[in-house]
Amino acid sequence: MDLELEKIREVQREFVERLKENCFVDLDRVLSHDVKINCYMTGRGKGIGAVEELLRYPGPAPSDVKMNIENEILRRDKEYAQHSFHLLMLYTVCGENKQFHFMQYGGTMVLSYKKQEEKWKICKILFDLCWLDQNSYWVNSWKMLNFHEPWNHEPVIRKEDSVWRTVSVCEYARTDEEKIRETLYHFGWVTDTEDYELLEIIALRNVVIVDGYHNQRITSTDEWKEFLKGINYREPRLHHSYRIREILIDKDKAEARMSRVEPNRIGTKVIGEHNYFMDWFTMDCNVELIRVDKNWKIKHVEFIKNIYSSPVVSNKV
């Protein structure tokens, strides 16, 4: 474990906890004074005051807030670091006659850090809204996604903001499991940002993808790119959040199991007071990887559609 990376994660944990609590006191502990922010729903700004204004939740005071952090990718280069992750938020309100109401959203966040006076601080914040579900009028001051013309969507986060492009080489030691985790989360990043150069790095050109969700079999990276172009054209922003269940390594081969976290598309199932604090999964994924020149590449992927009837309680941040 790289100690500097753990210090960076501590800064991130403190920052997202402020978002969850909607309380922005002492932000100078984790933000640089000239921090820049670009938030899809609320706009651009500079400085700690702008961060507070643009990230403050405008809805009614919640009874409870559930937050998930998924798909974390983090690298550092001496005194600079780049960190991407998925942020899922759910707000509940108990109304009159104890009626249960909720609103949830998911987005991608990219944080840039600089080490200043021996302390890591966030110097840039990017946030893209990817989906929003239920009582959207609670946040009617936000800019919403346009599902009528998804091809005209202008995202805040571009493939150029990726961790691997910003910090292309890791000069510190990493375990095989850490490298594999990064590869699996990069697979989601490729899907959501159409970063096809990265796909060639993390997958074999003759990768096989058995897609039980869309009833198709893919046999190359070129074929997978064409499929991704189609689904990205039909939606303003994709959001493939994965929970890694298990990684098994056997010399130069590895197998991984993960599940897609997707609480906004659970079919006929219903989120209510009895289960809002749980996680919802819509797909299981089995992945085979092989080691190529000290890097791990995806060889085979199997998607299995499976909306869990008994959600797994989340690891809350």
Side-chain angles (χ1 to χ4, degrees):
M1 172 66 71
D2 184 86
L3 294 180
E4 293 300 315
L5 292 181
E6 185 54 35
K7 292 178 182 177
I8 294 168
R9 289 191 178 96
E10 289 176 3
V11 171
Q12 179 238 21
R13 285 193 286 266
E14 183 172 345
F15 175 65
V16 296
E17 190 65 28
R18 304 292 174 82
L19 299 184
K20 179 182 178 182
E21 296 175 354
N22 211 31
C23 178
F24 297 91
V25 297
D26 298 327
L27 275 180
D28 57 337
R29 287 169 45 89
V30 294
L31 302 183
S32 64
H33 72 279
D34 57 350
V35 59
K36 296 179 180 178
I37 179 172
N38 188 356
C39 177
Y40 176 81
M41 307 92 76
T42 53
R44 299 171 178 264
K46 183 177 180 179
I48 294 175
V51 172
E52 178 178 353
E53 178 185 352
L54 296 175
L55 292 184
R56 183 175 294 281
Y57 171 65
S63 304
D64 195 13
V65 180
K66 175 180 182 288
M67 178 171 64
N68 282 53
I69 304 295
E70 312 287 348
N71 291 39
E72 284 196 73
I73 305 171
L74 171 61
R75 288 185 183 183
R76 70 170 181 86
D77 178 16
K78 297 177 181 177
E79 297 186 348
Y80 183 86
Q82 192 84 339
H83 194 177
S84 67
F85 54 92
H86 288 186
L87 177 69
L88 285 71
M89 303 287 281
L90 184 147
Y91 299 84
T92 72
V93 171
C94 290
E96 298 179 3
N97 301 320
K98 296 184 178 180
Q99 291 180 328
F100 177 82
H101 305 275
F102 76 97
M103 186 278 291
Q104 61 178 343
Y105 71 87
T108 300
M109 182 169 280
V110 175
L111 301 179
S112 303
Y113 306 79
K114 283 186 179 179
K115 198 171 185 181
Q116 303 173 349
E117 299 178 353
E118 299 304 313
K119 292 183 179 180
W120 288 97
K121 291 194 174 184
I122 299 166
C123 60
K124 186 178 180 180
I125 302 166
L126 302 176
F127 185 76
D128 250 332
L129 180 68
C130 298
W131 57 266
L132 190 146
D133 184 39
Q134 296 298 312
N135 291 294
S136 59
Y137 61 88
W138 290 357
V139 290
N140 58 14
S141 61
W142 285 359
K143 176 184 176 183
M144 296 296 178
L145 296 168
N146 182 1
F147 284 89
H148 298 291
E149 296 182 353
W151 50 86
N152 287 329
H153 179 70
E154 290 290 335
V156 167
I157 297 171
R158 308 281 183 169
K159 62 183 181 181
E160 290 77 17
D161 299 307
S162 68
V163 173
W164 83 273
R165 288 177 184 271
T166 308
V167 183
S168 58
V169 178
C170 293
E171 297 181 351
Y172 45 90
R174 297 191 296 167
T175 66
D176 282 326
E177 181 172 331
E178 288 172 333
K179 292 178 181 178
I180 290 171
R181 283 183 172 273
E182 183 182 81
T183 296
L184 295 173
Y185 291 144
H186 272 152
F187 186 71
W189 177 273
V190 167
T191 304
D192 298 340
T193 66
E194 299 190 80
D195 191 345
Y196 299 132
E197 290 180 58
L198 178 58
L199 179 62
E200 298 296 340
I201 293 174
I202 65 168
L204 300 177
R205 289 193 62 85
N206 62 344
V207 63
V208 174
I209 301 176
V210 181
D211 184 358
Y213 204 92
H214 299 96
N215 297 315
Q216 63 177 342
R217 180 183 175 88
I218 302 293
T219 57
S220 69
T221 52
D222 287 340
E223 196 175 347
W224 186 240
K225 290 176 196 175
E226 290 306 308
F227 171 71
L228 295 183
K229 289 176 183 177
I231 61 174
N232 272 279
Y233 183 79
R234 293 193 296 270
E235 293 193 41
R237 204 62 168 144
L238 299 183
H239 205 232
H240 286 73
S241 303
Y242 293 112
R243 179 77 52 80
I244 297 174
R245 305 289 195 181
E246 183 180 41
I247 296 175
L248 301 174
I249 304 172
D250 182 12
K251 297 179 181 178
D252 292 333
K253 298 180 180 180
E255 296 180 357
R257 294 191 308 110
M258 58 187 187
S259 303
R260 184 174 179 186
V261 185
E262 196 176 19
N264 57 314
R265 291 180 175 174
I266 56 176
T268 59
K269 296 177 174 30
V270 177
I271 292 177
E273 191 173 10
H274 64 294
N275 64 7
Y276 76 88
F277 48 85
M278 295 183 178
D279 291 335
W280 289 92
F281 304 93
T282 59
M283 182 175 67
D284 292 327
C285 186
N286 300 321
V287 185
E288 296 177 15
L289 307 96
I290 62 171
R291 194 199 310 267
V292 179
D293 298 330
K294 298 183 180 181
N295 296 315
W296 288 94
K297 290 204 170 195
I298 296 171
K299 176 185 177 182
H300 188 278
V301 182
E302 180 185 19
F303 295 133
I304 304 168
K305 187 174 182 178
N306 186 15
I307 299 177
Y308 287 40
S309 57
S310 297
V312 178
V313 177
S314 70
N315 298 316
K316 290 188 176 182
V317 175

